[in-house]
Amino acid sequence: MDPIESIKTVKDSSFAMLLEAQRRGWNLWYMEMNDLFLLDNKAMARMKRLRIRDDPENWYEFEEEKTAELGSLQTILMRKDPPFNMEYIYATYLLEQAEVQGCLVVNRPSALRDANEKLYTSWFPECTPATLVSRSYQDFTDFLSCHGDIIVKPLGGMGGESIFRVQQGDPNTAVILETLTAKQTRYAMAQKFIPEISAGDKRILVVDGVAVPWALARVPQAGENRGNLAAGGNAHGIELSERDHWIVDQVAPRLKEAGILFAGLDVIGDYLTEVNVTSPTCIRELDAIYNLNISAMLMDCIEKRINT
């Protein structure tokens, strides 16, 4: 995971998972990216035994430290936040070696590489808004001319970072495209603007192909187009609609097939906009609103996989 000293426990989903695992008496071993390495073709790590408490002032302590093969662990939760870059991909190669050694890695390393959180929506065209992925200025300007109002974003970010709304005639269009495509050397995504963003960008959590029946609707602040909590969005719970359930039904079988046990679908209005597989969030918010224990759903699934 990312450095535990920097998390906000009240909303950190990794922390919620740690709390539930500790409640079950599981041994927790903590690793960051710098702790992973490969020696003589064996995936290894420097690990610290971790104890946590649900206390926003003093939430963790480390105990013993050891260096061991990743395959000696029963399961590894890969919860490193994006950016999804080559360093992230290298880490998945190491985790894949752990998988070969018999460790259950959640989510499956090959799926983390294959399921780009923006591009993965292309497997479900019936669920998505009009979409373009390109490096070409001309492609984006043609797409803008066709739809008049679009969202443009990078393929590897998170938390609403570098997401722009562009409307026909916007004098900043050229510089936005230049920035996002790095002067036509990097792919970016455009999607038709969905006005229903004013009612919230819904995060739907899916555990082993089953949706939590309530979503967290992240509503943009006034004058903002991004509902992401990291971008200042306000959140409230909402029951999944019939359309939401239909979208989950289209996506969930492919997630299960790929070994993605925990995912977050982003839905605006009637449209799927992203499939989050690296470190989906919103567990603690939904748990608090609806008195749930979403982490228990995931740990039940992990326990079943380990014991079969």
Side-chain angles (χ1 to χ4, degrees):
M1 62 182 289
D2 288 297
I4 194 169
E5 66 270 16
S6 65
I7 67 172
K8 294 181 173 62
T9 60
V10 70
K11 66 174 189 174
D12 193 273
S13 292
S14 298
F15 187 71
M17 295 175 188
L18 288 168
L19 283 171
E20 178 58 27
Q22 185 170 272
R23 286 190 198 104
R24 295 174 181 231
W26 296 5
N27 292 320
L28 306 180
W29 293 95
Y30 169 89
M31 294 164 280
E32 297 179 28
M33 290 271 281
N34 287 347
D35 295 317
L36 304 182
F37 63 100
L38 188 75
L39 179 64
D40 294 333
N41 299 317
K42 292 182 179 179
M44 309 284 292
R46 290 170 288 274
M47 312 174 186
K48 296 176 183 176
R49 188 186 292 271
L50 175 66
R51 287 202 174 274
I52 59 168
R53 58 186 68 85
D54 201 357
D55 176 355
E57 301 300 323
N58 184 21
W59 62 89
Y60 74 98
E61 61 180 298
F62 294 127
E63 297 179 345
E64 65 185 283
E65 185 172 353
K66 69 177 182 179
T67 298
E69 293 183 26
L70 292 179
S72 68
L73 301 173
Q74 288 184 295
T75 186
I76 296 173
L77 274 68
M78 175 49 156
R79 292 287 302 173
K80 173 71 179 68
D81 283 343
F84 188 89
N85 53 21
M86 285 307 301
E87 290 303 308
Y88 193 107
I89 289 174
Y90 296 148
T92 67
Y93 292 143
L94 298 183
L95 292 172
E96 203 161 29
Q97 287 297 320
E99 195 175 45
V100 170
Q101 294 167 21
C103 179
L104 173 66
V105 183
V106 180
N107 288 313
R108 184 178 292 161
S110 59
L112 291 175
R113 291 195 301 270
D114 292 346
N116 176 273
E117 299 186 324
K118 276 68 172 180
L119 275 170
Y120 202 57
T121 60
S122 66
W123 292 101
F124 314 102
E126 68 279 11
C127 302
T128 62
T131 301
L132 168 73
V133 175
S134 180
R135 309 200 304 184
S136 163
Y137 295 157
Q138 189 61 55
D139 290 343
F140 283 102
T141 54
D142 289 347
F143 190 79
L144 177 58
S145 295
C146 178
H147 298 288
D149 194 350
I150 65 175
I151 294 292
V152 187
K153 54 189 173 182
L155 294 179
M158 63 169 287
E161 181 182 3
S162 299
I163 293 179
F164 297 91
R165 180 181 178 183
V166 183
Q167 295 174 289
Q168 192 74 45
D170 189 329
N172 296 309
T173 300
V175 69
I176 289 171
L177 296 179
E178 180 180 294
T179 301
L180 284 180
T181 68
K183 298 182 178 180
Q184 301 189 102
T185 65
R186 185 170 59 206
Y187 284 103
M189 172 178 276
Q191 291 175 324
K192 181 181 178 180
F193 177 72
I194 306 168
E196 288 82 0
I197 184 61
S198 61
D201 180 354
K202 290 176 284 187
R203 168 60 56 84
I204 301 171
L205 295 179
V206 180
V207 181
D208 197 24
V210 177
V212 175
W214 296 277
L216 196 71
R218 299 160 296 173
V219 181
Q221 291 186 349
E224 175 63 78
N225 296 304
R226 301 171 298 171
N228 310 75
L229 301 183
N234 300 305
H236 65 270
I238 185 171
E239 188 174 2
L240 298 195
S241 68
E242 184 177 339
R243 171 72 177 185
D244 294 334
H245 282 291
W246 181 83
I247 289 173
V248 172
D249 289 344
Q250 311 315 303
V251 179
R254 191 173 186 93
L255 295 177
K256 287 196 68 169
E257 181 183 355
I260 299 171
L261 298 190
F262 186 62
L265 310 187
D266 288 350
V267 174
I268 302 174
D270 288 337
Y271 297 102
L272 174 71
T273 59
E274 293 188 15
V275 180
N276 296 271
V277 300
T278 52
S279 55
T281 60
C282 299
I283 285 180
R284 299 219 78 184
E285 293 91 341
L286 285 169
D287 281 356
I289 295 169
Y290 294 108
N291 194 29
L292 304 174
N293 187 346
I294 297 168
S295 296
M297 295 173 59
L298 178 60
M299 297 306 154
D300 287 346
C301 172
I302 289 172
E303 200 161 30
K304 183 178 178 181
R305 295 294 180 95
I306 289 172
N307 293 329
T308 56

